[in-house]
Amino acid sequence: DDLQPPPLSLSTVPRGVPLGRVMAAPRGFLHVLVHSAENLMAADFKLLKQPSSDPYCIITLGDQQHSTHTMYETTNPSWEYACSFQIGTFLPGPLLWLLGEMSQTSYKPVQDMPSLEFEVFDEDCMTADDALGEVRLQMLQVLEQPEKWHLTELPLKSPKGTTPDGQCGSLLVSF
């Protein structure tokens, strides 16, 4: 078997994406800061206290996952949580090919990479944690200008059937 990295061609670029924005098989680390969330849904109701939540955020890229700590009794948590995700292979493609380790799955253009996912939950002790909101970013969006930090407010989409308008707060992140 003579495995070589798949060439980047116009047929591998999604329709509507300028060729200049497509990167073939990036590698390195994606650093993410989850700063805070605002106006989350209240999932905990107590007799003598204001309704609130005990939110935490799970950040996922493919099979890599990180989680913030839980902030108790708030709908506006401030986490300031930093994490990193490995993007692509550690070694460059040509070296992997020489070592016989190159496979079609280890060489993915950006548009074929999984989305960066943020899911916010309310921690519960006695029952399953409640989903408060989620948002997904395509890697073309995330890696558009990799040399710069991007501070972004992301509107959270509501879990199915929880709010009629689909709005359930926002998440402030940097990457």
Side-chain angles (χ1 to χ4, degrees), residues 34 55-59 66-70 79 81 117-121 171 173:
V34 180
Y56 66 94
C57 182
I58 295 176
I59 311 100
H66 296 278
S67 179
T68 67
H69 58 279
T70 301
W79 291 293
Y81 177 79
E117 302 175 10
F118 299 88
E119 298 173 288
V120 180
F121 292 91
L171 191 63
V173 300

Side-chain angles (χ1 to χ4, degrees), residues 30-34 59 81-85 116 118 149 174-175:
L30 171 65
H31 303 290
V32 177
L33 294 170
V34 180
I59 311 100
Y81 177 79
C83 59
S84 297
F85 295 94
L116 180 62
F118 299 88
W149 276 99
S174 294
F175 48 84

Side-chain angles (χ1 to χ4, degrees), residues 43-116:
D44 299 333
F45 299 92
K46 298 179 181 158
L47 198 53
L48 298 175
K49 290 185 179 181
Q50 287 281 75
S52 66
S53 288
D54 302 321
Y56 66 94
C57 182
I58 295 176
I59 311 100
T60 306
L61 180 64
D63 60 356
Q64 302 171 74
Q65 191 172 78
H66 296 278
S67 179
T68 67
H69 58 279
T70 301
M71 298 294 294
Y72 295 97
E73 297 184 2
T74 183
T75 55
N76 298 300
S78 177
W79 291 293
E80 296 302 333
Y81 177 79
C83 59
S84 297
F85 295 94
Q86 184 174 338
I87 303 290
T89 60
F90 181 71
L91 296 173
L95 184 56
L96 287 172
W97 179 78
L98 285 173
L99 296 171
E101 298 292 322
M102 178 61 82
S103 71
Q104 298 296 329
T105 59
S106 66
Y107 195 85
K108 287 186 178 180
V110 175
Q111 65 270 17
D112 294 339
M113 294 176 71
S115 299
L116 180 62

